[in-house]
């Protein structure tokens, strides 16, 4: 499903070169639940950006679903993100003045799907994310933190993506809500979704079945629990 | 679905900031409204000047004597006495395509009638003057060719001259007026025609040209020869022919040294529309400046919006919205603002020009072309001033935009 070969990312800031990733190679199979863990500055965010097709590596190859991503153009990357990747962000990033339904349907904007089809898929995604019915027409800023993150998960699910990339999904939540969100992710994984979780908290990382630990731009350990 | 999406997104984001959107629209409204109003004033002036020139007569060609010179001092155009009744007869006989020809001898006199008096133009002329100058009789009759032959002491009054001399209640026909101590009997009153420039035909008094020459001026010269051609197409030809006849009669070989001037109505209209056209452009460009300021307002608002919604743009890009659609969405917001502003502005401008003609007494004319122009310009302003902010939004890096606080 995901195959990374010698991924490197070097940022140039004036004359100073910062190496964020050093020849990282690994594979993730379909249906896996993987945590990528590391302290801040370890390069895990950079890796997440590359895996999420938000950024391209300086060198190395990244195959998603057998497709070489590192050489794609801006618009091709956009299409790939829309069709293959679902994002869950730490800061939720919902549209504040839009209803739950409209937020979930956001990735379907400017596609050929009809309004009816969009709503149907949004309802299904919200159901899978464990969001209760009856809140569909609430504005997103009227929801609790846990509900917001479920809406965000539903948004990530709507295109039935190859992978769900969760970037510190519990970073802004209390412990109890965090557990609920992580249980939701675990259930989604059991339902067959491939999930990659980026976090710096070992407790959260332990919800996954495999933990890749990153330090100083290189893989420190890769263990299946 | 894509266009519907863009419209829905545009509506949602503009209605999220109602106050800001309306203030921005206001800039465009004022710009478009002032363009519409100014153009309507300009075009109104143009059409009213044109119609008052046309009211002088139809297909009119006017011959006037040249300047009188005595010892190098010019008396100005029309002051010389070079045109005579014989010239008129010659044009009448030799000229082609002439519908009517009327010479006149015009001078101002003090006129008295039954205790009232006024000072106005006395026009000595011939019956053809009615045709040439589009004058219609209200009551009574104009003088005839035989009354000219006999130098009859009869007069026809313009509408204003009639009320000046006799008031509105007295029947003037059959009464007498005195011009330079000569008594003339009133035989008719002309219909009111409305003013046109310096000589208002309604204030004039008409008498037979021979009477004017015998009793008032005492010579055989005429001031002006007015000629109506049969239609508009032959005006230039008639003008040329009349010039040739007069040059020949006056023994002048060089047209540049002619002792008369000949102008036709088309030239006057062309000159006048030229002037009012320039005037309209001047007004419209002053108004256009406010439209430009409105456009900058749009750009300012759009840039603020892009900054404010940086995270949202980042999110949209992250979930796979293509650059093109981000671009289109912001562009469509700008165009929607100017489009709506344009609509309201056209309505407001139209009302304003109605108000101008109602309260300031100016003639205004809102033409379809000025509405289309305003509409096109407002849409263009939206595209021009929305382009940069939209591009900026579309080119944001999703990673940077998502991190933006």
């Amino acid at each position: 499903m995901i195959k990374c070969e010698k991924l490197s990312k070097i940022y140039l800031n004036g004359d100073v070169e910062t190496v964020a990733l050093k020849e990282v190679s690994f594979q993730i199979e379909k249906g896996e639940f993987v945590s990528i863990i590391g302290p801040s500055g370890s390069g895990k965010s950079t890796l997440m950006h590359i895996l999420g097709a938000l950024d391209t590596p300086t060198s190395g190859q990244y195959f998603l679903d057998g497709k070489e991503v590192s050489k794609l153009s801006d618009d091709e990357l956009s299409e790939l993100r829309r069709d293959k990747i679902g994002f869950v962000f730490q800061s939720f990033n919902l549209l504040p003045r839009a209803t739950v339904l409209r937020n979930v349907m956001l990735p379907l904007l400017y596609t050929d799907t009809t309004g009816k089809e969009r709503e149907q898929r949004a309802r299904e995604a919200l159901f899978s994310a464990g969001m209760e019915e009856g809140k569909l027409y609430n504005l997103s800023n009227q929801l609790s933190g846990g509900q917001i993150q479920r809406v965000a998960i539903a948004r990530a699910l709507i295109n039935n993506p190859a992978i769900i990339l969760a970037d510190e999904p519990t970073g802004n939540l209390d412990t109890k809500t965090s557990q609920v969100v992580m249980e939701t992710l675990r259930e989604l994984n059991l339902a067959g979704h491939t999930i990659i979780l980026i976090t710096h908290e070992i407790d959260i990382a332990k919800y996954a079945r495999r933990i890749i630990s990153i330090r100083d731009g290189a893989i420190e350990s890769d263990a299946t629990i | 679905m894509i266009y519907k999406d863009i419209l829905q997104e545009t509506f949602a984001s503009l209605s999220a900031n109602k106050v800001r959107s309306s203030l921005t629209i206001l800039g465009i409204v004022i710009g478009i409204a002032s363009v519409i109003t100014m153009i309507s004033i300009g075009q109104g002036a143009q059409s009213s000047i044109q119609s008052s020139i046309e009211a002088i007569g139809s297909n009119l060609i006017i011959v006037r004597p040249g300047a009188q010179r005595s010892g190098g001092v010019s008396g100005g155009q029309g002051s010389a006495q070079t045109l005579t009744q014989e010239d008129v007869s010659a044009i009448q006989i030799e000229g082609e395509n002439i519908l009517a020809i009327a010479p006149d001898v015009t001078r101002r006199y003090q006129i008295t009638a039954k205790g009232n008096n006024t000072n106005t133009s006395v026009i000595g002329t011939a019956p053809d003057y009615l045709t040439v100058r589009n004058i219609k009789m209200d009551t009574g009759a104009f003088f005839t060719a035989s009354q000219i032959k006999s130098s009859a002491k009869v007069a026809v009054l313009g509408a204003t001259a009639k009320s000046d001399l006799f008031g509105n209640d007295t029947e003037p026909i059959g009464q007498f007026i005195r011009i330079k101590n000569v008594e003339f009997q009133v035989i008719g009153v002309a219909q009111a025609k409305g003013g046109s420039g310096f000589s208002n035909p309604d204030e004039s008094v008409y008498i037979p040209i021979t009477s004017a020459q015998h009793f008032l001026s005492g010579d055989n010269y005429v001031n002006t020869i007015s000629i109506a051609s049969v239609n508009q197409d032959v005006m230039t030809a008639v003008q040329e022919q009349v010039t040739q006849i007069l040059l020949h009669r006056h023994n002048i070989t060089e047209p540049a040294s002619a002792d008369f001037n000949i102008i036709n109505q088309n030239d006057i209209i062309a000159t006048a529309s030229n002037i009012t056209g320039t005037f309209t452009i001047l007004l419209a460009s002053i108004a256009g400046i406010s439209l430009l300021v409105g456009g900058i307002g749009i750009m300012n608002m759009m840039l603020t919006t892009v900054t404010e919604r940086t995270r949202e743009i980042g999110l949209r890009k992250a979930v796979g919205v293509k650059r093109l659609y981000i671009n289109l969405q912001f562009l469509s917001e700008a165009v929607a603002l100017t489009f709506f502003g344009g609509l309201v502005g056209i309505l407001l401008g139209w009302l304003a020009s109605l108000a101008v003609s109602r309260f300031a007494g100016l003639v205004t004319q809102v033409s379809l072309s000025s509405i289309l122009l305003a509409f096109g310009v407002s849409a263009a302003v939206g595209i021009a001033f929305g382009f940069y902010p939209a591009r900026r939004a579309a080119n944001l890096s999703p990673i940077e935009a998502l991190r933006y606080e």
Side-chain angles (χ1 to χ4, degrees):
Chain A
M1 163 88 28
I2 285 179
K3 192 173 165 198
C4 294
E5 275 178 9
K6 296 187 175 178
L7 282 187
S8 290
K9 183 73 185 179
I10 298 165
Y11 292 107
L12 263 180
N13 203 345
D15 286 340
V16 188
E17 275 191 6
T18 314
V19 181
L21 284 180
K22 277 184 284 195
E23 304 200 333
V24 173
S25 303
F26 61 91
Q27 285 191 26
I28 295 174
E29 299 307 326
K30 187 172 162 54
E32 272 198 274
F33 188 174
V34 182
S35 283
I36 295 175
I37 190 168
S40 57
S42 60
K44 66 179 192 306
S45 286
T46 305
L47 184 59
M48 195 276 289
H49 291 149
I50 292 172
L51 292 179
L54 291 165
D55 206 350
T56 47
T58 315
S59 67
Q61 286 174 309
Y62 166 37
F63 297 92
L64 175 62
D65 251 1
K67 199 171 183 181
E68 160 76 291
V69 178
S70 36
K71 301 282 182 294
L72 295 182
S73 74
D74 216 59
D75 275 351
E76 287 168 325
L77 286 175
S78 288
E79 234 166 79
L80 184 89
R81 289 197 294 268
R82 190 185 68 203
D83 298 335
K84 308 251 178 199
I85 298 163
F87 287 98
V88 179
F89 300 100
Q90 174 178 4
S91 46
F92 321 124
N93 283 321
L94 295 190
L95 303 177
R97 279 176 299 264
T99 60
V100 166
L101 210 53
R102 224 184 116 220
N103 264 295
V104 176
M105 294 190 298
L106 186 71
L108 297 180
L109 265 187
Y110 314 120
T111 61
D112 291 330
T113 43
T114 64
K116 227 176 176 175
E117 197 183 332
R118 289 180 191 186
E119 197 173 321
Q120 178 60 31
R121 279 166 70 176
R123 281 173 191 276
E124 282 166 15
L126 280 162
F127 179 76
S128 306
M131 184 70 188
E132 59 233 75
E133 291 269 342
K135 294 260 184 188
L136 300 191
Y137 297 100
N138 283 33
L139 294 184
S140 61
N141 49 11
Q142 297 167 343
L143 302 175
S144 68
Q147 286 171 332
I148 290 177
Q149 200 56 302
R150 284 176 179 206
V151 173
I153 292 171
R155 183 180 63 200
L157 284 174
I158 193 160
N159 266 327
N160 198 16
I163 52 170
I164 293 173
L165 259 181
D167 181 18
E168 304 269 14
T170 58
N172 283 346
L173 299 174
D174 57 45
T175 321
K176 207 171 159 215
T177 323
S178 297
Q179 280 172 5
V180 177
V181 167
M182 288 318 296
E183 284 303 330
T184 309
L185 287 178
R186 177 133 70 184
E187 278 161 28
L188 287 173
N189 174 242
L190 291 176
H193 291 279
T194 312
I195 297 176
I196 299 174
L197 175 72
I198 287 94
T199 185
H200 64 277
E201 291 175 79
I202 189 71
D203 294 344
I204 296 297
K206 278 177 181 163
Y207 278 88
R209 285 181 284 159
R210 175 179 166 196
I211 298 178
I212 299 176
S213 169
I214 291 201
R215 187 175 288 272
D216 297 332
I219 293 179
E220 194 182 46
S221 67
D222 185 345
T224 307
I225 312 172
Chain B
M1 210 51 209
I2 287 169
Y3 293 105
K4 201 177 153 202
D5 281 346
I6 289 177
L7 287 181
Q8 274 175 352
E9 291 292 307
T10 302
F11 178 75
S13 87
L14 289 183
S15 54
N17 268 310
K18 287 194 187 70
V19 174
R20 191 160 69 188
S21 301
S22 0
L23 285 175
T24 315
I25 287 175
L26 192 62
I28 294 294
V29 168
I30 292 170
I32 292 288
S34 44
V35 167
I36 293 269
T37 315
M38 292 303 174
I39 291 182
S40 82
I41 291 174
Q43 287 184 333
Q46 189 156 7
S47 73
S48 84
I49 288 173
Q50 198 158 330
S51 69
S52 60
I53 291 171
E54 275 162 2
I56 300 173
S58 31
N59 306 325
L60 190 61
I61 295 160
I62 295 173
V63 187
R64 300 202 314 158
Q68 185 178 39
R69 289 187 171 276
S70 54
V73 179
S74 171
Q77 296 294 327
S79 59
Q81 294 184 314
T82 53
L83 298 174
T84 60
Q85 188 60 45
E86 286 72 43
D87 290 331
V88 179
S89 311
I91 295 169
Q92 219 158 11
I93 294 161
E94 294 171 40
E96 287 159 12
N97 291 326
I98 291 174
L99 180 71
I101 175 165
D104 69 77
V105 177
T106 302
R107 224 164 278 180
R108 290 186 83 87
Y109 292 102
Q110 200 71 25
I111 304 173
T112 56
K114 281 212 168 160
N116 287 331
N117 75 90
T118 183
N119 185 302
T120 189
S121 305
V122 175
I123 301 173
T125 186
D128 264 2
Y129 200 78
L130 287 180
T131 317
V132 173
R133 297 284 177 141
N134 276 347
I135 296 169
K136 302 208 167 44
M137 294 304 290
D138 186 21
T139 53
F142 209 71
F143 37 83
T144 60
S146 67
Q147 279 169 316
I148 291 192
K149 221 167 213 174
S150 63
S151 304
K153 286 184 259 184
V154 291
V156 172
L157 306 180
T160 314
K162 179 232 154 189
S163 54
D164 283 352
L165 290 167
F166 294 101
N168 288 324
D169 306 323
T170 320
E171 174 56 49
I173 293 179
Q175 308 264 18
F176 287 91
I177 57 171
R178 295 183 75 86
I179 308 168
K180 221 181 159 191
N181 274 327
V182 181
E183 271 201 329
F184 287 81
Q185 188 175 27
V186 178
I187 57 165
V189 177
Q191 271 180 16
K193 203 179 147 184
S196 59
F198 299 108
S199 60
N200 187 338
D202 291 346
E203 289 173 3
S204 305
V205 172
Y206 307 96
I207 59 173
I209 185 165
T210 45
S211 315
Q213 288 168 334
H214 294 162
F215 306 117
L216 304 179
S217 69
D219 55 40
N220 192 27
Y221 293 108
V222 302
N223 289 130
T224 320
I225 303 172
S226 309
I227 303 163
S229 66
V230 289
N231 60 47
Q232 202 175 344
D233 304 332
V234 296
M235 271 176 91
T236 322
V238 171
Q239 181 177 359
E240 236 139 66
Q241 200 183 18
V242 169
T243 312
Q244 289 310 319
I245 294 169
L246 290 177
L247 286 175
H248 182 70
R249 279 189 53 80
H250 295 191
N251 288 324
I252 297 163
T253 46
E254 194 59 47
S257 56
D259 58 355
F260 58 90
N261 294 307
I262 181 158
I263 50 172
N264 76 51
Q265 211 175 5
N266 284 355
D267 294 346
I268 307 175
I269 291 174
T271 311
S273 4
N274 215 337
I275 294 167
T276 49
T278 313
F279 173 68
T280 307
I281 291 170
L282 173 79
L283 287 178
S285 34
I286 292 171
I289 291 170
S290 63
L291 193 57
L292 184 75
V293 174
I296 293 170
I298 296 261
M299 178 133 112
N300 193 8
M301 168 182 166
M302 293 309 298
L303 284 174
T304 313
T305 309
V306 169
T307 310
E308 252 183 18
R309 284 159 61 190
T310 299
R311 279 178 75 101
E312 184 195 319
I313 295 164
L315 169 74
R316 283 167 188 270
K317 296 197 93 171
V319 301
V321 174
K322 282 188 197 164
R323 194 198 291 241
L324 170 72
Y325 295 121
I326 305 266
N327 219 324
L328 279 181
Q329 194 200 316
F330 280 88
L331 205 55
S332 109
E333 277 179 35
V335 173
L337 287 173
T338 55
F339 190 79
F340 191 68
L343 273 183
V344 179
I346 286 169
L347 200 70
L348 202 73
W350 185 62
L351 289 177
S353 58
L354 282 185
V356 165
S357 52
R358 177 89 175 71
F359 298 112
L362 289 175
V363 181
T364 59
Q365 196 177 22
V366 179
S367 64
L368 184 69
S369 65
S370 71
I371 288 177
L372 291 179
L373 177 82
F375 224 75
V377 166
S378 67
V381 163
I383 293 171
F385 288 96
F387 185 77
Y388 172 64
R391 233 179 77 105
R392 215 159 106 159
N395 287 342
L396 282 173
S397 135
I399 300 169
E400 297 294 322
L402 280 171
R403 267 195 212 133
Y404 185 85
E405 292 298 328

